[in-house]
Amino acid sequence: MVSALSTVSLAQDKQQDVAFSPDTNRIKSHLFFLADDLLEGRDTGSRGHDIAALYIATEFAKYGLKPMGTDGYMQAVDFRKATLVQESPSLTLTTDKGETELKYPKEYLTGPDLLDTQSSLKGKMVFAGYGIIADELEHNDYKDIDVEGKIVVILSGKPKSFPSEMGAHLASGSQKAQYAIDNGAIGMISVTTPTAEKVRPYQSRLSYIHTPRLAWLDENDKPANTFEQLKGSAFLSEGAARQLFDNAEMSLDEIYAMLEKDETPPGFAIPGEISLQKQSKHSQITSPNVVAAVEGSDPELKDEYVVFSAHSDHIGFAKTVKKDNINNGAMDNASGTAVMLETARLFSQMENKPKRSILFVSVTGEEKGLLGADYFAHNPTVPVDKMVANVNLDMPILTYEFADVIAFGASHSDMKASVTEAANNAGIELSPDPWPEQALFTRSDHYAFVKQGVPSVFLVPGLKSKDPEVDGSKVFGQFLSTHYHMPSDDTNQNFNWDAARTFAEVNAQIGFTLATQEKAPTWNDGDFFGTTFGK
């Protein structure tokens, strides 16, 4: 039998060098089981996802990992699920010219309400630019306007000049809602922009009007991250927005012209009132995170944890008339989960464990808004200040032998040096983020840990291939266009198991480096995320 790893012993006062040897057959077995039709796409709260969670827990048990959930390896998460009654939305604009009822969903969109089954909003309107307050960038859209008790009307997105990742946080829906609440608003109307139409056309949003909203429930059964003060919200098409600004200080065309110059239009009161009503249906589901640990060897440092995370859920059944309607999620994220399981096995078999403990967290609800990770980050089974680093594995494309890895977010902390060292130990290199404009650092489960002050990276295979005939960027693009969130993301894809082995090896090397280095990772001085969230 081939040993899981071999160790070259150095002097005891030096960090030991470890060469990990992942078993590709195990990775393949995990991936093929998790992406099987039997699991029906592993939707949050489904029987298929429960099966996946049980499989992950039994694998942790097989390796002898310490249970770190609230019930053995499991951490049950209760969710409220809200669906919009599609016939119910009614949005009326009242001006001096009379009443105009906008058509749902042709002219506006609104989602289900997680707090109330009957929602009603009525009030006067105030335009507030992008609806962002960013002292760091000397930007305040609420300056010199009064939105107390009113409905704030804001542009989607952010100024072009905003740094990508910082801007993604500042312009997120939850942050914009918080700015509105802090200034006394009772409702929020978002307006599409030319930039928004290029990135995500209004017409494409119509495909998601039946999508439910989920929120995890706290100890008082209140949905997390909800805002009682905001009584309603809507997203307007360009045509509807033109009617809104028809008699305002500035027309929509004048506002769009300012955006083209990357100028933020000033705030002003909009004549008239908005009235919005809708109905929602509520239900409750439960879905588990799965948590386990390999205990560290140092008497003091073993109370610190390097956290690996990977989401086990996917999106369930596709709405299609085709025979194959199961979104198997082989790459997203059976592959990441399979690699995390193999990483756990490798550490479990080490004779000389690293100094810090290593925590493995399989999270649910990623596809519903990073919900399982957010629940764990707010309800950790180890002290939050003892989680020193997070390495997140989400959708590694394992179809070609890559020569580098990308660690989104590495530039925000000294984890960049640790990841670089670990990648070199595995014979590959660390490359910079090739898509900074997409702000991927804010778009997977690790971001829930970031918001609790934990330095984090989101690790994926790089775009450099060991085969000069393969263009990694093209392969990634082809996956996104032909398989991402589609039934074709299944086990019929052309997996490269050498790539799977390399990715597991790099992952283990990163974990070992972080768990063995003398000092815990720290945010870089002056980094926005470290300053905003660092404990």
Side-chain angles (χ1 to χ4, degrees), residues 288-310:
N289 293 328
V290 188
V291 193
V294 171
E295 192 172 79
S297 59
D298 186 274
E300 294 183 6
L301 292 182
K302 70 178 182 179
D303 292 330
E304 296 182 354
Y305 294 85
V306 174
V307 183
F308 282 104
S309 58

Side-chain angles (χ1 to χ4, degrees), residues 12-38:
Q12 289 186 352
D13 60 342
K14 294 184 179 181
Q15 176 174 308
Q16 69 182 149
D17 290 336
V18 173
F20 292 95
S21 297
D23 186 335
T24 55
N25 286 326
R26 293 175 186 268
I27 298 172
K28 181 177 181 179
S29 297
H30 298 321
L31 193 158
F32 273 49
F33 179 84
L34 293 170
D36 193 85
D37 281 355
L38 174 70

Side-chain angles (χ1 to χ4, degrees), residues 17 42 47 52 67 107 115 170 179 188-189 207-208 230 239 310 348 392 404 492 518:
D17 290 336
R42 308 190 306 279
R47 182 174 182 271
E107 295 182 301
L115 293 172
L170 295 169
Y179 305 137
M188 189 163 69
I189 303 293
S207 301
Y208 301 94
L230 294 180
S348 74
N392 185 52
D404 65 330
N492 292 317
E518 182 179 351

Side-chain angles (χ1 to χ4, degrees), residues 19 26 66 96 137 160 224 281 297 305 428 461 474-475 533:
R26 293 175 186 268
K66 182 179 179 181
D96 292 341
L137 302 173
K160 296 176 184 177
K281 293 181 179 179
S297 59
Y305 294 85
I428 60 176
K474 186 176 180 180
V475 170
F533 302 118

